[in-house]
Amino acid sequence: MRQILKDHGIQLTKSLGQNFLHDGNQLGRIADLANLSTSDKVLEIGPGLGPLTEVLMKRVGQVMAIELDRKLSDVLRTRFEGSSSFSLHHVDALHFLREKAHDWTGWKVVSNLPYSVASPILVELASSPMPPSQIVATLQWEVVKRLRAKAGTKDYGVLTLLVAQRYQTGAGFKIPANCFFPQPNVDSGCLSMELRNPQPVPWSDLQTFQTLVKLAFSQRRKMMVKLLRTRWNQADVEKAMGACDLPLSIRAEQLSLEQFVELMNHLGA
Ligand code: SAM
């Protein structure tokens, strides 16, 4: 890997989260988690030099890759351009996902995500009107803990809920730092997230749900009722909380996904 980077004059950029996974065993485990078949279409965000891409190409029918770094994109193009099942977008993945509503029906996302933008990318995918059926992502272990967090714990918050309204977390595993080059100074792991069916928040209510959750957690230690009145009428908030059997003293971190959805339904847009 070091030699390829040297040959192409590539200097690694810390801000782009360029920690490349070089351990074949871990790459195989990531692909296994996605339960891939040749009929699958996979989106890979941040393929880097393409070690995971190569594994994916052997297992699925189509790989779409999005890589921001120009030199890495050149390497990927040279490496995979012969294959009609590979396409590459040299753009910022966040811009790509936000610029228009893509139809990800029938797609899976399998990626070693750039850690600096992993959370907004997951939220963006979970906010899509036509989301991918599964996301298998390598993430900072702190983020894995937040995605898996239960109500009432310190890791539970906005990220947990904005992703959980679309995806339930499945299997996952830790990946030792020495499997990456250069080694990250945080713990890493891979997590599978599967699309919920039925979805607890209809797409038409998603903006209201996001506003509710962000406002409720805007000051974690404060009573939720006080935070919500900047957006909803105080009397309406109290009535909705009463209808949901929620005490007025409750804080956001104590509410489950189901309770947030019920509260949203009583509050209205
Ligand atoms: N998948 C490769 C691997 O496992 O070796 C590389 C993963 S590395 C953690 C993250 C990759 O995402 C880097 O190649 C980096 O250039 C790319 N990247 C960073 N920010 C990005 C963005 N906003 N959009 C697309 N790619 C990005």
Side-chain angles (χ1 to χ4, degrees):
M1 209 166 246
R2 214 171 285 203
Q3 192 58 45
I4 300 172
L5 293 170
K6 197 171 161 212
D7 291 349
H8 291 85
I10 299 171
Q11 302 274 359
L12 295 184
T13 313
K14 217 174 172 186
S15 63
L16 290 182
Q18 292 176 335
N19 300 93
F20 299 127
L21 189 54
H22 56 72
D23 184 295
N25 184 33
Q26 301 292 345
L27 290 163
R29 289 178 80 195
I30 294 170
D32 289 348
L33 216 50
N35 218 350
L36 299 169
S37 74
T38 48
S39 60
D40 279 328
K41 296 181 280 185
V42 168
L43 169 66
E44 187 190 2
I45 296 172
L49 289 168
L52 182 59
T53 322
E54 189 178 318
V55 177
L56 296 172
M57 294 281 285
K58 288 185 187 138
R59 299 197 192 188
V60 305
Q62 200 178 327
V63 175
M64 182 198 286
I66 307 178
E67 174 56 59
L68 180 57
D69 187 295
R70 188 184 56 76
K71 285 188 173 170
L72 290 173
S73 299
D74 290 344
V75 174
L76 289 161
R77 223 168 252 130
T78 313
R79 191 167 172 190
F80 299 109
E81 69 186 349
S83 170
S84 58
S85 54
F86 176 77
S87 60
L88 175 70
H89 297 269
H90 166 223
V91 285
D92 181 330
L94 262 180
H95 288 185
F96 183 88
L97 294 173
R98 285 173 179 164
E99 73 183 347
K100 68 174 178 127
H102 298 270
D103 184 354
W104 297 117
T105 314
W107 285 77
K108 292 179 177 178
V109 174
V110 184
S111 302
N112 176 10
L113 287 176
Y115 291 176
S116 53
V117 285
S119 298
I121 284 175
L122 291 177
V123 170
E124 210 53 49
L125 290 167
S127 311
S128 164
M130 292 153 286
S133 61
Q134 187 184 6
I135 303 173
V136 172
T138 301
L139 301 158
Q140 206 173 319
W141 193 249
E142 280 307 307
V143 176
V144 173
K145 287 202 292 193
R146 285 163 64 196
L147 292 165
R148 282 177 158 173
K150 298 275 175 276
T153 64
K154 76 169 173 41
D155 292 319
Y156 185 72
V158 175
L159 178 68
T160 320
L161 286 157
L162 295 194
V163 175
Q165 57 84 21
R166 276 297 172 75
Y167 291 95
Q168 57 191 19
T169 56
F173 54 88
K174 274 196 166 184
I175 303 179
N178 63 8
C179 294
F180 297 89
F181 173 78
Q183 292 192 23
N185 45 20
V186 292
D187 288 337
S188 305
C190 183
L191 181 68
S192 171
M193 289 156 268
E194 286 119 41
L195 195 63
R196 290 180 193 272
N197 189 13
Q199 293 175 7
V201 181
W203 197 71
S204 53
D205 289 340
L206 190 56
Q207 255 196 323
T208 308
F209 179 79
Q210 291 181 336
T211 305
L212 170 63
V213 168
K214 285 180 187 169
L215 212 50
F217 277 96
S218 56
Q219 293 178 65
R220 224 183 147 89
R221 307 243 50 90
K222 214 167 167 175
M223 280 159 53
M224 202 175 64
V225 67
K226 293 188 177 166
L227 300 167
L228 297 187
R229 66 188 181 198
T230 59
R231 164 69 174 74
W232 284 276
N233 176 291
Q234 165 103 30
D236 290 346
V237 174
E238 289 182 11
K239 199 170 146 205
M241 289 180 73
C244 299
D245 281 330
L246 296 173
L248 295 182
S249 58
I250 202 162
R251 288 165 177 76
E253 63 191 13
Q254 296 168 273
L255 265 73
S256 66
L257 169 66
E258 293 73 23
Q259 286 173 309
F260 266 111
V261 174
E262 195 190 356
L263 181 61
M264 175 191 74
N265 289 335
H266 280 92
L267 281 170

